[in-house]
Amino acid sequence: GTPIGERLRDSCGYLVMGAASKFIASTITYPIQVIKARLQQRSQVVEFSEATGEIIVTKREYAGVVDCAGRIWRNEGIVGFFKGCVTNAIRVAPSAAITFVTYEFVLDVLTEER
């Protein structure tokens, strides 16, 4: 079999690659998730304006995906498509890393010559 130190080093590499791949994939696809979430939200949203200290009730009704994307772009810019992206990436990366290591370990055990 493979020495423990070598397996541990390989596992660390797999952890990093699993986390990095999920981080990149979730960042690339995050704008789609934002649009989906906005389309699924209730039509009225209560927001607090830090600039004026007012509570604002905003009515959000979108005609579709293109309308939603256009309004996010006009009102919030590119930043609007990535709100919460880092938090999401931190949430999903560890599970992807563990899945990646587990897969490689099981594959290694099953293909090991006896």
Side-chain angles (χ1 to χ4, degrees):
T2 311
I4 297 263
E6 193 175 318
R7 276 194 180 181
L8 185 60
R9 188 178 66 243
D10 289 347
S11 292
C12 288
Y14 291 137
L15 275 171
V16 170
M17 292 306 293
S21 65
K22 189 62 172 187
F23 186 86
I24 291 166
S26 67
T27 301
I28 290 170
T29 59
Y30 200 73
I32 297 166
Q33 298 298 327
V34 169
I35 292 168
K36 182 181 113 182
R38 297 277 179 98
L39 289 169
Q40 291 174 337
Q41 283 177 349
R42 289 183 284 168
S43 62
Q44 285 192 337
V45 178
V46 178
E47 297 174 333
F48 178 74
S49 172
E50 291 182 24
T52 62
E54 297 177 310
I55 295 175
I56 304 163
V57 177
T58 308
K59 192 166 178 113
R60 281 191 185 158
E61 296 227 1
Y62 300 107
V65 174
V66 175
D67 178 47
C68 181
R71 286 168 68 180
I72 292 170
W73 180 261
R74 279 190 306 277
N75 298 331
E76 304 169 54
I78 192 77
V79 175
F81 289 103
F82 292 94
K83 282 184 179 176
C85 183
V86 173
T87 306
N88 181 62
I90 290 169
R91 181 181 63 83
V92 297
S95 64
I98 291 167
T99 301
F100 211 88
V101 168
T102 303
Y103 171 80
E104 290 299 329
F105 175 76
V106 169
L107 188 65
D108 190 36
V109 168
L110 292 176
T111 59
E112 190 174 88
E113 291 184 28
R114 297 189 192 270

